[in-house]
Coordinates of all heavy atoms in Angstrom, one line a residue:
N249 N 2.1 12.7 -13.9 CA 3.1 12.2 -13.1 C 4.0 11.1 -13.8 O 5.2 11.0 -13.7 CB 2.7 11.7 -11.8 CG 2.1 12.8 -10.9 OD1 2.3 14.0 -11.3 ND2 1.5 12.5 -9.8
V250 N 3.1 10.2 -14.4 CA 3.8 9.0 -15.1 C 4.8 9.5 -16.2 O 5.8 9.0 -16.3 CB 2.7 8.1 -15.7 CG1 3.2 7.1 -16.8 CG2 2.1 7.3 -14.5
I251 N 4.3 10.5 -17.0 CA 5.2 11.0 -18.1 C 6.4 11.6 -17.4 O 7.6 11.3 -17.9 CB 4.4 12.1 -18.9 CG1 3.3 11.5 -19.6 CG2 5.4 12.8 -19.9 CD1 2.3 12.6 -20.2
Q252 N 6.3 12.4 -16.4 CA 7.4 13.0 -15.7 C 8.4 12.0 -15.2 O 9.7 12.1 -15.4 CB 7.0 13.9 -14.6 CG 6.6 15.3 -15.1 CD 6.0 16.1 -13.9 OE1 5.9 15.7 -12.8 NE2 5.6 17.4 -14.3
I253 N 7.9 11.0 -14.6 CA 8.7 9.9 -14.0 C 9.5 9.1 -15.1 O 10.7 8.8 -14.9 CB 7.9 9.1 -13.0 CG1 7.5 9.9 -11.8 CG2 8.8 7.9 -12.5 CD1 6.6 9.3 -10.8
H254 N 8.7 8.8 -16.1 CA 9.4 8.0 -17.2 C 10.5 8.9 -17.9 O 11.6 8.4 -18.2 CB 8.4 7.7 -18.3 CG 7.8 6.4 -18.1 ND1 6.4 6.1 -18.2 CD2 8.3 5.1 -17.7 CE1 6.1 4.9 -17.9 NE2 7.2 4.3 -17.6
D255 N 10.3 10.2 -18.0 CA 11.3 11.1 -18.5 C 12.5 11.1 -17.5 O 13.7 11.0 -18.0 CB 10.6 12.5 -18.5 CG 11.4 13.4 -19.4 OD1 11.8 13.0 -20.5 OD2 11.6 14.6 -19.0
F256 N 12.3 11.2 -16.2 CA 13.4 11.2 -15.3 C 14.2 9.9 -15.4 O 15.4 10.0 -15.4 CB 12.7 11.3 -13.8 CG 13.8 11.1 -12.8 CD1 14.6 12.1 -12.3 CD2 13.9 9.8 -12.2 CE1 15.6 11.9 -11.3 CE2 14.9 9.6 -11.3 CZ 15.7 10.6 -10.8
I257 N 13.4 8.8 -15.4 CA 14.2 7.5 -15.5 C 15.1 7.4 -16.8 O 16.3 7.1 -16.8 CB 13.2 6.3 -15.7 CG1 12.4 6.1 -14.3 CG2 14.0 5.0 -15.9 CD1 11.3 5.2 -14.4
Q258 N 14.5 7.9 -17.9 CA 15.3 7.9 -19.2 C 16.6 8.8 -19.1 O 17.6 8.3 -19.5 CB 14.4 8.3 -20.3 CG 14.8 7.9 -21.7 CD 14.1 8.7 -22.7 OE1 13.2 9.5 -22.5 NE2 14.5 8.4 -23.9
K259 N 16.4 9.9 -18.5 CA 17.5 10.9 -18.5 C 18.6 10.6 -17.4 O 19.7 11.0 -17.6 CB 17.0 12.3 -18.3 CG 16.2 12.7 -19.6 CD 15.9 14.2 -19.5 CE 15.1 14.6 -20.8 NZ 14.0 15.4 -20.5
N260 N 18.1 10.0 -16.3 CA 19.0 10.1 -15.1 C 19.4 8.7 -14.5 O 20.1 8.7 -13.6 CB 18.3 10.8 -13.9 CG 17.9 12.2 -14.3 OD1 18.8 13.0 -14.4 ND2 16.7 12.5 -14.6
T261 N 18.9 7.6 -15.1 CA 19.3 6.4 -14.5 C 19.8 5.3 -15.5 O 19.6 5.4 -16.7 CB 17.9 5.7 -13.8 OG1 17.0 5.3 -14.9 CG2 17.3 6.6 -12.9
Q262 N 20.6 4.4 -14.9 CA 21.1 3.3 -15.7 C 20.5 2.0 -15.4 O 20.2 1.1 -16.2 CB 22.7 3.1 -15.4 CG 23.4 4.4 -15.8 CD 23.7 4.4 -17.3 OE1 23.8 3.4 -17.9 NE2 23.8 5.6 -17.9
G263 N 20.3 1.8 -14.0 CA 19.9 0.5 -13.5 C 18.4 0.3 -13.4 O 17.9 -0.7 -13.0
C264 N 17.6 1.4 -13.7 CA 16.2 1.4 -13.5 C 15.5 0.8 -14.7 O 15.8 1.2 -15.8 CB 15.7 2.8 -13.1 SG 14.0 2.8 -12.7

Side-chain angles (χ1 to χ4, degrees):
N249 290 354
V250 162
I251 296 170
Q252 279 175 357
I253 293 171
H254 271 133
D255 196 43
F256 170 86
I257 294 173
Q258 202 196 355
K259 293 192 177 129
N260 302 288
T261 68
Q262 297 282 329
C264 186

